[in-house]
Amino acid sequence: MMKKKFWSTLAASTMLVGVLAGCTGGGESTAGTENDKDNKASDEAVTIKFHTHGNEASYNWEKTIAAFEEEYPKIDVDLVILSEKGDTQEATQKLDLAAASGEQLDVLMFSDPASYAQRVALGMVAPIDEFIEEEGYTINEEYKVDTKLNDNYYALPGKFNPWYVLLNKNHLDEAGLEVPTDWTWEQYMEYAKKLTTDDHYGTYFHGPQGGGWMEFMKLALASEEDNTEFIKADGTSNFDSPLFKKTLEMRVQMEKVDKSATPYTDIISQKLHYRNQFFGQDASMVLIGSWMNTELGGTEQFPLDFNVAVAPYPKNEEGDAGGYTPVTTDFMSVAANSKHKKEAYTFIRWYTSEGQIVQGKNIPSWNGVSEEELGSIIDGILADTATPEKVDRESLVNVLKGAKSSKIIPPVPYQAELYKVVNEEYEKLILGEQEIKQTLKATQERAQEIIDNNK
């Protein structure tokens, strides 16, 4: 039977200093030979602690962990839910406090690349390369998300939430357009133009705003395999990339020239949201993450009065491989100070493969899932929506099957400063205060100043 432990809030925030002071080594394991000896005692039953931001409703832990413990009877999983409401920020703070206070940590779950990369840098996470090599597989062949940091692997990816394009299929039919299965940004722009009528815009972009939703400032960058961020892996600026310029050009073209995109002034002044814009049929195409799978067939709050289809994230050129898109996942890691690294790895390997199918809540990053199993998971997700029959299931399966993540570039500590600059310069551009050439120059200069100040 699964054993649960629910976290009691710790008031000693000063303990966070202990994380920074005590966890060093740039991600290398600080566990000594004593831990290695413990790992070899595989004949004895062990209990591993699993700290997660995910709550029961979203992750089906009871069923999932029970299935693991049945398959591995000598490994008990003690679940520690760090936020009952699934708040990732709260969960990360409590995880840091647990590390600072010397609590037992074995399996750690991170919800985003920044949290993952930062804890690796603090030395909280153990490299798992030896286990991967021992098993004899490669991450790129086995999973859709590459989790490598600094030439090492510190996590296996759980769920797979790629971005895609939501389509109002009724609008497509009225315009005589097919559901795209492979397309470029130029074709996306053409679709947006043809879908725009007196009643609705062809497309809606939900960002940038308030220094967030920066995916909408990386449209063309995100279609590539590498260098998809504003800062490259070597720490240099990527604002001189022609793909950043292309993104600005596309945004201006669609809003100002084609008038096919919802005006930025409306988005900010009316506090518009992508759900209202799509389900209210105010925009025919919305670029967003596939966390929307659970809402595609409509919900009580957003009932569906039309048919929905899904298209892949556009690529830059006709000859490109395609499939690359922003992706969110859960990073499943082994704690650096765990005395049961082998067992912890056994759990994350099972959870990110067979466990994803047992859990049945998300599309897995694991490539070992069959098309039939993928279809079953999707059917289960859609079945929980109000009107699943209005969703073009085939288009959804094809997009999720073909999507893949680009290489992770560790976020820089001054990322928020950069985002603020990009947001401010973009607003000057889209509000007609400066041209693209001036926007690029100002963004590059301000970004370089931030980079130099942080050297």
Side-chain angles (χ1 to χ4, degrees), residues 21 28 37 67 118 156 200 205 254 256 266 280 381 401 408:
E28 290 303 311
K37 287 175 188 171
Q118 285 160 2
L156 298 179
H200 55 260
F205 296 112
M254 282 186 268
K256 300 295 187 183
D266 290 0
I381 293 169
K401 197 171 62 177
I408 289 178

Side-chain angles (χ1 to χ4, degrees), residues 16-63:
L16 282 174
V17 178
V19 177
L20 297 169
C23 297
T24 56
E28 290 303 311
S29 170
T30 56
T33 52
E34 190 179 319
N35 287 356
D36 297 329
K37 287 175 188 171
D38 287 338
N39 277 339
K40 288 172 185 172
S42 55
D43 290 339
E44 298 173 21
V46 300
T47 297
I48 58 172
K49 295 262 189 178
F50 170 28
H51 288 71
T52 175
H53 63 271
N55 56 24
E56 176 63 29
S58 299
Y59 282 87
N60 212 359
W61 291 127
E62 191 160 353
K63 176 186 173 187

Side-chain angles (χ1 to χ4, degrees), residues 388-450:
E389 68 279 1
K390 291 186 176 179
V391 179
D392 183 340
R393 178 186 179 276
E394 185 185 354
S395 68
L396 178 61
V397 171
N398 287 339
V399 167
L400 295 174
K401 197 171 62 177
K404 53 197 173 193
S405 166
S406 54
K407 292 176 183 174
I408 289 178
I409 297 172
V412 289
Y414 48 89
Q415 188 167 270
E417 290 180 73
L418 285 175
Y419 283 4
K420 186 170 179 285
V421 165
V422 176
N423 206 143
E424 288 172 355
E425 295 304 328
Y426 173 74
E427 286 192 354
K428 292 176 193 172
L429 169 68
I430 209 68
L431 298 177
E433 296 171 17
Q434 63 187 18
E435 300 296 323
I436 287 177
K437 189 176 178 181
Q438 295 168 294
T439 304
L440 286 169
K441 186 172 184 288
T443 305
Q444 287 165 2
E445 288 175 354
R446 291 181 66 188
Q448 193 58 51
E449 189 177 345
I450 293 170

